[in-house]
Amino acid sequence: MADWLERNVPRILLAPSFLIVLIFVYGFIAWTAWVSMTRSRLLPKYEIEGFIQYERLFAAPRWDTAMNNLFIFGALFIVVSMMLGLLLAILLDQKIRIEGALRTIYLYPMALSMIVTGTAWQWVMNPGLGIEAVVRGWGFENFAFDWVIDPDMAIFAIVIAAVWQASGFVMALFLAGLRSVDDEIIKAAKVDGIPTWRIYSAIVIPSMAPVFLSAFIVLAHLAIKSFDLVIALTGGGPGYATDLPATYMYAMAFSRGDIGQAASSAMVMMAVVFAIVVPYLYSELRVKRG
Amino acid sequence: MKGIKFAAAAAVILASPSLAFAEPQAEVLHWWTSGGEAKSVAVLQKEFTDNGGTWTDMPVAGGGGDAAMTALRARVLSGNAPTAVQLKGPAIQEWYEEGALADISAVAEAEGWADVLPASIAEHMQCEDSWCAAPVNVHRVDWIWANADVLKAHDISMPSTWQEFNAAAEKLQAAGIVPLAHGGQAWQDATVFEAVALGILGADGFRKAFVELDEDTLTSDAMVAVFDQMRTLRGYVDRNFSGRDWNLATAMVMNGEAAFQVMGDWAKGEFLAAGKTPGVDFLCASTPGDGFLYNVDSFAMFDVDGEDRQAGQALLARLIVGKNFQKVFNLNKGSIPARTDVSLDEFDSCAHLSADDMATSSQNGSLLPSYAHGMALRGAQAGAITDVVTAHFNSDMSSADAVEMLATAVANSL
């Protein structure tokens, strides 16, 4: 009996959560896939109609805008956050005096919810209230910073707010990575008279490859699921210039009673996530096997 | 022996509700949760309980009704629909097609709704041959509001054509006043767009374009002219309009920062709440052109079991269209009664204008549903049009491109 328990208790304990994940994650993915093949409007219907919703989706200019925005936002957000995070981490790593306080200050934006970040930056970047009004108040009458109201630039305004929020967190990741590099190697390099920038570019950063990968994965999924930041900062506007796939899906499912269309956009979003995560998983598993 | 006694007693207790007269029960799902609106619902609630009913309130705030619709979907899918739900326009028909609505023809016929409601509004309340919803009010959407002092100072009268409006706007702009107070949110862009479309396309053209989705009208030269006027109007709004809420735009007119606003008559509530008097501090007129765009709130009655709940439904329907509620509710809300035989003595001059125009336009067939407020089209089609309107208004897209996009978007949404 004790023997049997010892063997099966882990399984029994894990079974409920396994079942919950199976139903509420994979089950509902399958359900969404099914609904995306139907003409569901207000309520889900289950007669398969083929790829009609995907045809509608790819014919919609608003979806094009949303996907373009995702790539612009995702690429800039990931690259700028990583570069800024790495720079901050290296600067903090110079054994400076109030490192603890500075680290907390930089990490603090991560403690805010995206809604707060979005609302605050909406005020900061509003031409009538924020930076532009202040600088004009100083006498620079021609100063313009109106990205939030310019449909071509608004997506970059969102990147600024997102980078502000996430780069502190990336900095913390990199700082941990920097600290884990063997001190002896760095000391040896210094003894050999190698300049500091060379130590970082040739020794420290290459040995932090796994940290880069983790940071990338965290930032990529933050970018793809971004929703609240856009809602708070621009509401998807001007027009629908800052729509992202997530806001598109929300509009279709909850405002327009077009569940089939929302389901098809959700499936495409999932495909994008898979395109990023599957290579990652593949490389991880391969490393372990080797 | 004891067991039998107990069973008998239990049977009596269980059976008694159906023996006695069923007490009206109503569970009402709505999203009137803000100050004035909540007060308006409380009026209905009080009348309902005064008539011996039990009211279960189910307010769901948020997202302009989106949250309430999500709650409704969940309730209907689980087979437990509320008694009455705040629904409007084509959404009523959509729910009817899902087989979820009840038939309240008995009440409607006893109360003679067909005689007191304007025909085109009554049509929204009917599902095929039966009545399935009760109208609460009529909001007019095609209003233009103005600051009386600003107009007087610059010797401008309320415009009766869009050309006149443009001329007045140029004059105001030269004087450093924002001609048009506007908030850059998709639904507000659509509100202005449909007012312009009604003026330029005329009532028939509007019906063809936004009710029947006639492709020739959607791609006509007149539609290009509508988008041209939208581009002109874009020049008359201030730089900070993006994302502004409608009531802040109303405040701009109120304090003289801006001259005009195109908005439905809920804007009147803002003026009145600030202690302004219609005709003295602010002016109201229909937007240039003939016709009347209505936005009618209504309660749809869902299919429910149980005599008490059906009795509640009948009572609720009777009270909603009753003269007293129509008067009290609309005085609170800023709209006008849906039934035409309510005395308007206590209403203000804007409401009188609205009621007169509704009667006239109902006669000559220019009483039309608002597309921007979900009265003319289903969500997917209305949304597709709004996407184009807001994309055009917020970029430098040409009118010809916009018209082309409009036709494709509408075709793609069907």
Side-chain angles (χ1 to χ4, degrees), chain B residues 240-329:
Chain B
N240 298 328
F241 79 105
S242 282
R244 177 187 289 145
D245 285 323
W246 67 271
N247 49 344
L248 298 181
T250 309
M252 288 172 67
V253 175
M254 233 183 279
N255 60 30
E257 200 181 323
F260 295 105
Q261 184 186 20
V262 175
M263 185 49 62
D265 48 20
W266 43 94
K268 188 176 72 184
E270 293 287 309
F271 285 108
L272 296 179
K276 307 281 182 187
T277 317
V280 180
D281 301 310
F282 69 98
L283 305 173
C284 55
S286 64
T287 52
D290 294 326
F292 185 108
L293 299 178
Y294 60 79
N295 175 15
V296 176
D297 288 311
S298 48
F299 278 101
M301 303 301 169
F302 277 67
D303 209 2
V304 287
D305 294 328
E307 250 173 75
D308 48 350
R309 300 179 76 187
Q310 279 160 5
Q313 214 156 44
L315 175 60
L316 193 62
R318 187 161 64 78
L319 292 177
I320 286 173
V321 189
K323 278 186 181 178
N324 181 48
F325 173 70
Q326 292 264 324
K327 186 184 83 181
V328 178
F329 179 91

Side-chain angles (χ1 to χ4, degrees), chain B residues 94-396:
Chain B
E94 272 182 276
W95 280 105
Y96 174 74
E97 283 163 23
E98 304 284 354
L101 295 193
D103 183 351
I104 51 165
S105 302
V107 185
E109 274 151 28
E111 297 283 311
W113 288 3
D115 304 324
V116 295
L117 299 176
S120 49
I121 289 172
E123 224 171 86
H124 288 286
M125 307 300 142
Q126 288 162 312
C127 300
E128 290 180 31
D129 299 325
S130 66
W131 292 77
C132 51
V136 176
N137 61 3
V138 178
H139 276 298
R140 184 179 199 173
V141 178
D142 56 326
W143 279 114
I144 186 161
W145 308 92
N147 182 312
D149 293 336
V150 170
L151 292 205
K152 204 194 255 169
H154 295 88
D155 193 24
I156 291 168
S157 56
M158 283 306 253
S160 58
T161 65
W162 283 108
Q163 278 78 20
E164 276 180 43
F165 179 88
N166 295 347
E170 297 290 342
K171 205 163 158 185
L172 288 161
Q173 207 158 34
I177 288 170
V178 178
L180 183 66
H182 180 63
Q185 295 172 341
W187 71 272
Q188 294 188 53
D189 296 341
T191 301
V192 175
F193 174 78
E194 73 173 353
V196 172
L198 179 66
I200 293 177
L201 301 175
D204 286 334
F206 186 93
R207 179 180 294 109
K208 274 199 189 124
F210 301 115
V211 181
E212 296 160 14
L213 293 176
D214 172 57
E215 205 190 328
D216 292 337
T217 318
L218 286 173
T219 54
S220 63
D221 291 344
M223 193 59 87
V224 177
V226 173
F227 279 103
D228 283 340
Q229 176 62 27
M230 288 301 283
R231 177 63 67 236
T232 311
L233 290 180
R234 175 70 176 78
Y236 298 148
V237 304
D238 62 318
R239 283 187 78 221
N240 298 328
F241 79 105
S242 282
R244 177 187 289 145
D245 285 323
W246 67 271
N247 49 344
L248 298 181
T250 309
M252 288 172 67
V253 175
M254 233 183 279
N255 60 30
E257 200 181 323
F260 295 105
Q261 184 186 20
V262 175
M263 185 49 62
D265 48 20
W266 43 94
K268 188 176 72 184
E270 293 287 309
F271 285 108
L272 296 179
K276 307 281 182 187
T277 317
V280 180
D281 301 310
F282 69 98
L283 305 173
C284 55
S286 64
T287 52
D290 294 326
F292 185 108
L293 299 178
Y294 60 79
N295 175 15
V296 176
D297 288 311
S298 48
F299 278 101
M301 303 301 169
F302 277 67
D303 209 2
V304 287
D305 294 328
E307 250 173 75
D308 48 350
R309 300 179 76 187
Q310 279 160 5
Q313 214 156 44
L315 175 60
L316 193 62
R318 187 161 64 78
L319 292 177
I320 286 173
V321 189
K323 278 186 181 178
N324 181 48
F325 173 70
Q326 292 264 324
K327 186 184 83 181
V328 178
F329 179 91
N330 286 301
L331 276 172
N332 278 335
K333 186 107 178 357
S335 40
I336 59 169
R339 63 188 293 164
T340 49
D341 59 346
V342 176
S343 155
L344 294 176
D345 292 344
E346 293 165 49
F347 286 78
D348 58 48
S349 58
C350 297
H352 279 276
L353 177 64
S354 183
D356 290 346
D357 284 356
M358 181 167 84
T360 327
S361 58
S362 183
Q363 293 289 321
N364 67 20
S366 59
L367 183 58
L368 293 164
S370 153
Y371 116 78
H373 297 274
M375 292 301 296
L377 297 168
R378 299 190 172 192
Q381 283 84 54
I385 297 176
T386 302
D387 281 350
V388 177
V389 168
T390 190
H392 169 266
F393 192 71
N394 289 290
S395 67
D396 49 10

Side-chain angles (χ1 to χ4, degrees), chain A residues 19-36 46 263 266-267 270:
Chain A
L19 208 66
I20 286 170
V21 169
L22 194 69
I23 295 173
F24 289 99
V25 177
Y26 297 97
F28 284 151
I29 288 177
W31 184 86
T32 307
W34 184 299
V35 169
S36 77
Y46 299 103
M267 293 312 289
M270 195 181 70

